[in-house]
Amino acid sequence: MGGRTTSSAWIQGIVDMLADVGLDVAAILAEAGIDPALLANPDSRAPTELVSRLWRAAAEHSGNPAVGLLSPHVPKPGNFDIVGYAMLTSPNLRVAIENFARHLRLVSDAASIDLDFRERSVMLQLRLFGGREPIPRQRMEFDLLTLLTFCRWVAGKTIKPLGVYLVWPAPADVAPFENAFQCPLHFEADFNGVEFTRADFDAKLPGFNPGLAGVHESLVQQRLVALDGAGVSVKIREQIIHRLSGGEPRREEIARALHLSDRTLTRRLNEEGTSFQKLLDETRCDLAQNYLAKPNMTLAEVAYLLGFADQSAFFRACRRWFDSSPGQYRAFLGGAGASRAPSLQRV
């Protein structure tokens, strides 16, 4: 499976929530193109595109654009894979979330978490990568709320963030957001995330257990070895992201950075059913969706950050990825809600 994927355990958590609120999950799974047998295997993974389709189908079937905020108050650690149990026995939220961010690919390599430590607060920024599907707002809302709910649960108290930040405009009805997050809301922000107090981040967790924490960390490392195997795709994606703003990365340069010959890198990618050019294109497409969702970022800035030599090359890539211009796709993202995605090109 060459593209980004999400664990079946995380998808099962979504399906359980949808079932708990009375939705027809069989019909939703069928519309999203997800085989229920996938969820029966806790070690299986699904393309990130299917998760976005699942949320789009859920919004349409429920008729509720805030369906992503119906998450129950008590999360299931199993939906976070073994990383969830490691978080439970961490000394504080800082260590728990730093470990979660570092090992997030066990849950999904279609997401990333960045932490910005400030004088009195910590800003957590969540990024999702949708592959060839635009990311419905419900997917981001659910992920942020589930992460916050899990933090509240492991802390044993109702953590009140300093704010939740969302890139889209405020909906007509903000009550579901207020009830779910219980903190100030900031719409049309530059990123999606949660701002915690330093006090909450550094407070000792009631479940802290050094012995169990060591056992969980060992299990996490075993799972990472099994997941990564001999694969180099994740490492190459990371190298591409770091180098894009300096222009289009060259395969030979990344091979040297990974201490591989160009021939070996190419062979390893062939064994994984992908290529350097495909990874470069997929990474650019993923990042383009995140950048275009930020209304304050100019198209020229997006083209530069994606490593294109000029805006015309960026425009051509958007036509190929999204079957629309960057401006048209940005307008779609701004008003996506529960609507269907435009006709996207499969490349």
Side-chain angles (χ1 to χ4, degrees):
M1 190 176 296
R4 296 180 186 264
T5 60
T6 296
S7 72
S8 61
W10 184 262
I11 299 173
Q12 184 65 61
I14 299 172
V15 171
D16 289 344
M17 184 277 287
L18 297 176
D20 287 344
V21 298
L23 295 179
D24 185 348
V25 294
I28 292 173
L29 288 172
E31 183 170 329
I34 297 176
D35 185 348
L38 171 80
L39 305 180
N41 180 1
D43 295 324
S44 62
R45 299 177 72 88
T48 182
E49 290 86 351
L50 290 185
V51 185
S52 290
R53 293 175 196 168
L54 175 63
W55 277 114
R56 192 166 292 110
E60 292 177 350
H61 274 261
S62 67
N64 181 4
V67 66
L69 300 176
L70 301 180
S71 179
H73 294 296
V74 180
K76 299 177 181 178
N79 298 143
F80 288 75
D81 208 286
I82 188 63
V83 185
Y85 295 101
M87 292 175 71
L88 279 172
T89 52
S90 297
N92 51 46
L93 279 183
R94 174 174 182 157
V95 173
I97 295 180
E98 285 179 338
N99 286 339
F100 182 60
R102 189 165 64 252
H103 305 318
L104 183 55
R105 66 184 185 277
L106 281 178
V107 178
S108 176
D109 61 11
S112 69
I113 289 175
D114 295 310
L115 297 175
D116 179 14
F117 289 87
R118 304 177 178 184
E119 183 178 355
R120 297 182 179 178
S121 68
V122 181
M123 191 70 74
L124 181 152
Q125 179 178 348
L126 177 64
R127 291 195 300 170
L128 299 179
F129 305 100
R132 294 300 183 267
E133 292 279 345
I135 298 169
R137 59 169 248 211
Q138 292 82 11
R139 180 177 177 181
M140 176 62 75
E141 292 164 0
F142 173 85
D143 287 3
L144 283 176
L145 179 58
T146 300
L147 182 57
L148 174 59
T149 302
F150 195 76
C151 288
R152 287 168 169 163
W153 190 56
V154 300
K157 62 179 182 180
T158 302
I159 293 175
K160 290 189 177 296
L162 295 176
V164 165
Y165 297 78
L166 300 165
V167 301
W168 40 84
D173 182 10
V174 298
F177 292 83
E178 295 171 340
N179 293 334
F181 292 111
Q182 301 175 35
C183 70
L185 303 168
H186 305 275
F187 293 95
E188 296 187 75
D190 292 332
F191 62 92
N192 295 299
V194 182
E195 185 176 13
F196 294 90
T197 66
R198 289 293 291 261
D200 282 336
F201 234 57
D202 295 335
K204 183 178 179 179
L205 297 181
F208 175 46
N209 185 316
L212 279 178
V215 171
H216 288 148
E217 178 63 22
S218 177
L219 292 173
V220 165
Q221 293 304 321
Q222 292 176 28
R223 290 293 304 276
L224 287 172
V225 169
L227 176 64
D228 292 344
V232 296
S233 298
V234 172
K235 295 179 180 178
I236 291 175
R237 285 182 187 273
E238 292 173 349
Q239 288 287 331
I240 289 173
I241 290 173
H242 291 318
R243 296 166 183 265
L244 272 176
S245 61
E248 182 170 312
R250 297 178 63 241
R251 187 185 64 229
E252 298 84 354
E253 294 174 348
I254 291 181
R256 285 196 297 271
L258 297 178
H259 306 291
L260 298 172
S261 69
D262 184 42
R263 179 176 295 180
T264 299
L265 183 144
T266 301
R267 175 176 56 79
R268 296 269 290 274
L269 288 177
N270 286 338
E271 291 171 354
E272 294 177 35
T274 188
S275 67
F276 179 80
Q277 196 59 42
K278 183 177 181 181
L279 287 177
L280 173 61
D281 193 61
E282 290 176 346
T283 302
R284 278 174 157 166
C285 178
D286 286 342
L287 292 174
Q289 292 185 62
N290 279 274
Y291 294 152
L292 290 173
K294 299 178 179 180
N296 296 329
M297 187 175 286
T298 69
L299 298 183
E301 289 173 327
V302 175
Y304 168 78
L305 291 173
L306 294 177
F308 287 105
D310 53 58
Q311 287 194 62
S312 61
F314 173 46
F315 272 65
R316 290 194 297 273
C318 283
R319 286 289 184 187
R320 178 164 49 81
W321 294 330
F322 312 128
D323 197 24
S324 63
S325 71
Q328 290 170 332
Y329 193 68
R330 167 170 278 174
F332 167 76
L333 291 176
S339 62
R340 284 192 174 275
S343 175
L344 302 185
Q345 300 299 313
R346 299 294 192 269
V347 296

mmCIF file of all heavy atoms in Angstrom, residues 153-185:
data_model
loop_
_atom_site.group_PDB
_atom_site.id
_atom_site.type_symbol
_atom_site.label_atom_id
_atom_site.label_comp_id
_atom_site.label_asym_id
_atom_site.label_seq_id
_atom_site.Cartn_x
_atom_site.Cartn_y
_atom_site.Cartn_z
ATOM 1 N N TRP A 153 -9.261 12.603 30.039
ATOM 2 C CA TRP A 153 -9.470 11.318 30.709
ATOM 3 C C TRP A 153 -8.218 10.872 31.446
ATOM 4 O O TRP A 153 -8.284 10.486 32.623
ATOM 5 C CB TRP A 153 -9.910 10.279 29.681
ATOM 6 C CG TRP A 153 -10.371 8.998 30.294
ATOM 7 C CD1 TRP A 153 -11.366 8.830 31.222
ATOM 8 C CD2 TRP A 153 -9.858 7.699 30.019
ATOM 9 N NE1 TRP A 153 -11.504 7.493 31.538
ATOM 10 C CE2 TRP A 153 -10.594 6.778 30.814
ATOM 11 C CE3 TRP A 153 -8.876 7.222 29.169
ATOM 12 C CZ2 TRP A 153 -10.352 5.413 30.782
ATOM 13 C CZ3 TRP A 153 -8.631 5.853 29.131
ATOM 14 C CH2 TRP A 153 -9.365 4.961 29.944
ATOM 15 N N VAL A 154 -7.061 10.918 30.784
ATOM 16 C CA VAL A 154 -5.834 10.462 31.444
ATOM 17 C C VAL A 154 -5.437 11.416 32.568
ATOM 18 O O VAL A 154 -4.788 11.006 33.541
ATOM 19 C CB VAL A 154 -4.669 10.298 30.445
ATOM 20 C CG1 VAL A 154 -5.005 9.283 29.366
ATOM 21 C CG2 VAL A 154 -4.268 11.618 29.814
ATOM 22 N N ALA A 155 -5.827 12.697 32.461
ATOM 23 C CA ALA A 155 -5.512 13.665 33.517
ATOM 24 C C ALA A 155 -6.446 13.540 34.705
ATOM 25 O O ALA A 155 -6.147 14.047 35.792
ATOM 26 C CB ALA A 155 -5.564 15.084 32.959
ATOM 27 N N GLY A 156 -7.586 12.890 34.513
ATOM 28 C CA GLY A 156 -8.536 12.714 35.598
ATOM 29 C C GLY A 156 -9.260 13.987 35.966
ATOM 30 O O GLY A 156 -9.760 14.114 37.092
ATOM 31 N N LYS A 157 -9.314 14.935 35.042
ATOM 32 C CA LYS A 157 -10.014 16.189 35.335
ATOM 33 C C LYS A 157 -10.453 16.826 34.021
ATOM 34 O O LYS A 157 -9.988 16.456 32.942
ATOM 35 C CB LYS A 157 -9.110 17.151 36.097
ATOM 36 C CG LYS A 157 -7.870 17.571 35.323
ATOM 37 C CD LYS A 157 -7.014 18.542 36.133
ATOM 38 C CE LYS A 157 -5.802 19.006 35.334
ATOM 39 N NZ LYS A 157 -4.971 19.961 36.115
ATOM 40 N N THR A 158 -11.335 17.798 34.114
ATOM 41 C CA THR A 158 -11.817 18.508 32.931
ATOM 42 C C THR A 158 -10.822 19.608 32.562
ATOM 43 O O THR A 158 -10.857 20.705 33.126
ATOM 44 C CB THR A 158 -13.213 19.108 33.167
ATOM 45 O OG1 THR A 158 -14.109 18.055 33.529
ATOM 46 C CG2 THR A 158 -13.724 19.796 31.904
ATOM 47 N N ILE A 159 -9.933 19.289 31.669
ATOM 48 C CA ILE A 159 -8.969 20.287 31.194
ATOM 49 C C ILE A 159 -9.708 21.304 30.335
ATOM 50 O O ILE A 159 -10.433 20.934 29.419
ATOM 51 C CB ILE A 159 -7.850 19.611 30.393
ATOM 52 C CG1 ILE A 159 -7.006 18.729 31.322
ATOM 53 C CG2 ILE A 159 -6.981 20.635 29.688
ATOM 54 C CD1 ILE A 159 -5.960 17.923 30.594
ATOM 55 N N LYS A 160 -9.523 22.565 30.636
ATOM 56 C CA LYS A 160 -10.130 23.630 29.842
ATOM 57 C C LYS A 160 -9.031 24.321 29.043
ATOM 58 O O LYS A 160 -8.248 25.105 29.613
ATOM 59 C CB LYS A 160 -10.851 24.631 30.748
ATOM 60 C CG LYS A 160 -12.115 24.057 31.391
ATOM 61 C CD LYS A 160 -12.909 25.131 32.098
ATOM 62 C CE LYS A 160 -14.209 24.558 32.676
ATOM 63 N NZ LYS A 160 -15.120 24.069 31.621
ATOM 64 N N PRO A 161 -8.948 24.052 27.753
ATOM 65 C CA PRO A 161 -7.916 24.685 26.931
ATOM 66 C C PRO A 161 -8.097 26.206 26.887
ATOM 67 O O PRO A 161 -9.196 26.733 27.113
ATOM 68 C CB PRO A 161 -8.142 24.068 25.545
ATOM 69 C CG PRO A 161 -8.924 22.826 25.787
ATOM 70 C CD PRO A 161 -9.774 23.121 26.983
ATOM 71 N N LEU A 162 -7.023 26.883 26.589
ATOM 72 C CA LEU A 162 -7.102 28.333 26.399
ATOM 73 C C LEU A 162 -7.816 28.666 25.097
ATOM 74 O O LEU A 162 -8.322 29.779 24.940
ATOM 75 C CB LEU A 162 -5.697 28.933 26.390
ATOM 76 C CG LEU A 162 -4.929 28.823 27.709
ATOM 77 C CD1 LEU A 162 -3.521 29.371 27.545
ATOM 78 C CD2 LEU A 162 -5.666 29.563 28.816
ATOM 79 N N GLY A 163 -7.855 27.714 24.196
ATOM 80 C CA GLY A 163 -8.565 27.954 22.945
ATOM 81 C C GLY A 163 -8.446 26.777 21.996
ATOM 82 O O GLY A 163 -7.511 25.977 22.087
ATOM 83 N N VAL A 164 -9.428 26.648 21.111
ATOM 84 C CA VAL A 164 -9.386 25.703 19.995
ATOM 85 C C VAL A 164 -9.382 26.519 18.719
ATOM 86 O O VAL A 164 -10.174 27.473 18.578
ATOM 87 C CB VAL A 164 -10.584 24.732 20.032
ATOM 88 C CG1 VAL A 164 -10.750 24.013 18.699
ATOM 89 C CG2 VAL A 164 -10.408 23.720 21.148
ATOM 90 N N TYR A 165 -8.522 26.166 17.779
ATOM 91 C CA TYR A 165 -8.323 26.937 16.559
ATOM 92 C C TYR A 165 -8.704 26.082 15.347
ATOM 93 O O TYR A 165 -8.257 24.937 15.218
ATOM 94 C CB TYR A 165 -6.862 27.383 16.453
ATOM 95 C CG TYR A 165 -6.438 28.313 17.565
ATOM 96 C CD1 TYR A 165 -6.143 27.826 18.843
ATOM 97 C CD2 TYR A 165 -6.359 29.684 17.359
ATOM 98 C CE1 TYR A 165 -5.783 28.679 19.872
ATOM 99 C CE2 TYR A 165 -5.991 30.552 18.387
ATOM 100 C CZ TYR A 165 -5.707 30.039 19.641
ATOM 101 O OH TYR A 165 -5.347 30.886 20.655
ATOM 102 N N LEU A 166 -9.538 26.649 14.476
ATOM 103 C CA LEU A 166 -10.015 25.949 13.284
ATOM 104 C C LEU A 166 -9.903 26.883 12.091
ATOM 105 O O LEU A 166 -10.197 28.074 12.192
ATOM 106 C CB LEU A 166 -11.465 25.504 13.479
ATOM 107 C CG LEU A 166 -11.689 24.541 14.662
ATOM 108 C CD1 LEU A 166 -13.168 24.454 15.006
ATOM 109 C CD2 LEU A 166 -11.120 23.172 14.352
ATOM 110 N N VAL A 167 -9.504 26.336 10.954
ATOM 111 C CA VAL A 167 -9.191 27.202 9.808
ATOM 112 C C VAL A 167 -10.433 27.665 9.053
ATOM 113 O O VAL A 167 -10.375 28.646 8.307
ATOM 114 C CB VAL A 167 -8.226 26.498 8.827
ATOM 115 C CG1 VAL A 167 -6.928 26.131 9.521
ATOM 116 C CG2 VAL A 167 -8.873 25.266 8.188
ATOM 117 N N TRP A 168 -11.569 26.986 9.218
ATOM 118 C CA TRP A 168 -12.748 27.363 8.435
ATOM 119 C C TRP A 168 -13.581 28.424 9.163
ATOM 120 O O TRP A 168 -13.445 28.623 10.367
ATOM 121 C CB TRP A 168 -13.617 26.141 8.140
ATOM 122 C CG TRP A 168 -13.749 25.188 9.273
ATOM 123 C CD1 TRP A 168 -14.618 25.255 10.310
ATOM 124 C CD2 TRP A 168 -12.943 24.028 9.510
ATOM 125 N NE1 TRP A 168 -14.431 24.211 11.165
ATOM 126 C CE2 TRP A 168 -13.407 23.439 10.711
ATOM 127 C CE3 TRP A 168 -11.896 23.425 8.820
ATOM 128 C CZ2 TRP A 168 -12.841 22.283 11.224
ATOM 129 C CZ3 TRP A 168 -11.341 22.278 9.332
ATOM 130 C CH2 TRP A 168 -11.808 21.722 10.514
ATOM 131 N N PRO A 169 -14.469 29.082 8.424
ATOM 132 C CA PRO A 169 -15.314 30.115 9.046
ATOM 133 C C PRO A 169 -16.255 29.515 10.090
ATOM 134 O O PRO A 169 -16.579 28.331 10.052
ATOM 135 C CB PRO A 169 -16.101 30.697 7.855
ATOM 136 C CG PRO A 169 -15.305 30.333 6.650
ATOM 137 C CD PRO A 169 -14.663 29.018 6.962
ATOM 138 N N ALA A 170 -16.694 30.353 11.009
ATOM 139 C CA ALA A 170 -17.626 29.905 12.040
ATOM 140 C C ALA A 170 -18.938 29.465 11.401
ATOM 141 O O ALA A 170 -19.470 30.155 10.529
ATOM 142 C CB ALA A 170 -17.874 31.029 13.039
ATOM 143 N N PRO A 171 -19.490 28.320 11.811
ATOM 144 C CA PRO A 171 -20.785 27.890 11.282
ATOM 145 C C PRO A 171 -21.905 28.737 11.879
ATOM 146 O O PRO A 171 -21.699 29.474 12.842
ATOM 147 C CB PRO A 171 -20.875 26.431 11.741
ATOM 148 C CG PRO A 171 -20.085 26.405 13.008
ATOM 149 C CD PRO A 171 -18.942 27.373 12.799
ATOM 150 N N ALA A 172 -23.088 28.606 11.315
ATOM 151 C CA ALA A 172 -24.229 29.365 11.822
ATOM 152 C C ALA A 172 -24.541 28.986 13.263
ATOM 153 O O ALA A 172 -24.933 29.832 14.073
ATOM 154 C CB ALA A 172 -25.449 29.121 10.928
ATOM 155 N N ASP A 173 -24.349 27.710 13.597
ATOM 156 C CA ASP A 173 -24.627 27.238 14.956
ATOM 157 C C ASP A 173 -23.313 26.792 15.595
ATOM 158 O O ASP A 173 -22.755 25.747 15.236
ATOM 159 C CB ASP A 173 -25.622 26.070 14.897
ATOM 160 C CG ASP A 173 -26.003 25.555 16.287
ATOM 161 O OD1 ASP A 173 -25.652 26.224 17.284
ATOM 162 O OD2 ASP A 173 -26.646 24.487 16.360
ATOM 163 N N VAL A 174 -22.833 27.562 16.554
ATOM 164 C CA VAL A 174 -21.565 27.221 17.218
ATOM 165 C C VAL A 174 -21.798 26.445 18.515
ATOM 166 O O VAL A 174 -20.832 26.043 19.173
ATOM 167 C CB VAL A 174 -20.716 28.477 17.516
ATOM 168 C CG1 VAL A 174 -20.336 29.187 16.236
ATOM 169 C CG2 VAL A 174 -21.459 29.400 18.467
ATOM 170 N N ALA A 175 -23.059 26.228 18.894
ATOM 171 C CA ALA A 175 -23.355 25.550 20.158
ATOM 172 C C ALA A 175 -22.700 24.173 20.255
ATOM 173 O O ALA A 175 -22.150 23.827 21.314
ATOM 174 C CB ALA A 175 -24.866 25.442 20.359
ATOM 175 N N PRO A 176 -22.723 23.336 19.184
ATOM 176 C CA PRO A 176 -22.057 22.032 19.298
ATOM 177 C C PRO A 176 -20.568 22.150 19.598
ATOM 178 O O PRO A 176 -20.005 21.326 20.325
ATOM 179 C CB PRO A 176 -22.308 21.394 17.924
ATOM 180 C CG PRO A 176 -23.550 22.048 17.420
ATOM 181 C CD PRO A 176 -23.454 23.465 17.904
ATOM 182 N N PHE A 177 -19.919 23.187 19.067
ATOM 183 C CA PHE A 177 -18.495 23.401 19.328
ATOM 184 C C PHE A 177 -18.284 23.817 20.777
ATOM 185 O O PHE A 177 -17.355 23.345 21.441
ATOM 186 C CB PHE A 177 -17.941 24.475 18.385
ATOM 187 C CG PHE A 177 -17.889 24.054 16.949
ATOM 188 C CD1 PHE A 177 -19.010 24.155 16.139
ATOM 189 C CD2 PHE A 177 -16.722 23.559 16.394
ATOM 190 C CE1 PHE A 177 -18.976 23.770 14.816
ATOM 191 C CE2 PHE A 177 -16.661 23.169 15.067
ATOM 192 C CZ PHE A 177 -17.797 23.277 14.271
ATOM 193 N N GLU A 178 -19.133 24.701 21.255
ATOM 194 C CA GLU A 178 -19.014 25.167 22.639
ATOM 195 C C GLU A 178 -19.239 24.017 23.621
ATOM 196 O O GLU A 178 -18.517 23.884 24.617
ATOM 197 C CB GLU A 178 -20.010 26.297 22.898
ATOM 198 C CG GLU A 178 -19.727 27.556 22.096
ATOM 199 C CD GLU A 178 -20.842 28.586 22.184
ATOM 200 O OE1 GLU A 178 -21.982 28.191 22.535
ATOM 201 O OE2 GLU A 178 -20.578 29.757 21.890
ATOM 202 N N ASN A 179 -20.232 23.168 23.345
ATOM 203 C CA ASN A 179 -20.532 22.048 24.231
ATOM 204 C C ASN A 179 -19.410 21.014 24.218
ATOM 205 O O ASN A 179 -19.099 20.403 25.252
ATOM 206 C CB ASN A 179 -21.848 21.380 23.817
ATOM 207 C CG ASN A 179 -23.044 22.287 24.026
ATOM 208 O OD1 ASN A 179 -23.018 23.180 24.874
ATOM 209 N ND2 ASN A 179 -24.108 22.067 23.253
ATOM 210 N N ALA A 180 -18.820 20.808 23.051
ATOM 211 C CA ALA A 180 -17.799 19.770 22.917
ATOM 212 C C ALA A 180 -16.461 20.199 23.511
ATOM 213 O O ALA A 180 -15.860 19.471 24.304
ATOM 214 C CB ALA A 180 -17.626 19.394 21.449
ATOM 215 N N PHE A 181 -15.996 21.393 23.138
ATOM 216 C CA PHE A 181 -14.643 21.808 23.530
ATOM 217 C C PHE A 181 -14.603 22.563 24.859
ATOM 218 O O PHE A 181 -13.575 22.563 25.534
ATOM 219 C CB PHE A 181 -14.026 22.662 22.420
ATOM 220 C CG PHE A 181 -13.725 21.889 21.160
ATOM 221 C CD1 PHE A 181 -14.448 22.114 19.993
ATOM 222 C CD2 PHE A 181 -12.719 20.944 21.147
ATOM 223 C CE1 PHE A 181 -14.172 21.402 18.834
ATOM 224 C CE2 PHE A 181 -12.430 20.224 19.988
ATOM 225 C CZ PHE A 181 -13.158 20.450 18.834
ATOM 226 N N GLN A 182 -15.692 23.236 25.213
ATOM 227 C CA GLN A 182 -15.782 23.946 26.495
ATOM 228 C C GLN A 182 -14.610 24.915 26.705
ATOM 229 O O GLN A 182 -13.958 24.922 27.750
ATOM 230 C CB GLN A 182 -15.842 22.935 27.652
ATOM 231 C CG GLN A 182 -17.020 21.982 27.568
ATOM 232 C CD GLN A 182 -16.982 20.926 28.645
ATOM 233 O OE1 GLN A 182 -16.558 21.175 29.771
ATOM 234 N NE2 GLN A 182 -17.433 19.719 28.315
ATOM 235 N N CYS A 183 -14.373 25.718 25.690
ATOM 236 C CA CYS A 183 -13.296 26.707 25.771
ATOM 237 C C CYS A 183 -13.505 27.734 24.663
ATOM 238 O O CYS A 183 -14.357 27.535 23.777
ATOM 239 C CB CYS A 183 -11.936 26.028 25.628
ATOM 240 S SG CYS A 183 -11.595 25.393 23.967
ATOM 241 N N PRO A 184 -12.748 28.836 24.663
ATOM 242 C CA PRO A 184 -12.874 29.818 23.573
ATOM 243 C C PRO A 184 -12.578 29.197 22.206
ATOM 244 O O PRO A 184 -11.693 28.349 22.074
ATOM 245 C CB PRO A 184 -11.827 30.877 23.937
ATOM 246 C CG PRO A 184 -11.661 30.757 25.413
ATOM 247 C CD PRO A 184 -11.827 29.304 25.717
ATOM 248 N N LEU A 185 -13.325 29.623 21.205
ATOM 249 C CA LEU A 185 -13.187 29.103 19.847
ATOM 250 C C LEU A 185 -12.641 30.188 18.931
ATOM 251 O O LEU A 185 -13.064 31.337 19.011
ATOM 252 C CB LEU A 185 -14.535 28.612 19.328
ATOM 253 C CG LEU A 185 -15.236 27.532 20.169
ATOM 254 C CD1 LEU A 185 -16.665 27.352 19.704
ATOM 255 C CD2 LEU A 185 -14.475 26.216 20.081
#
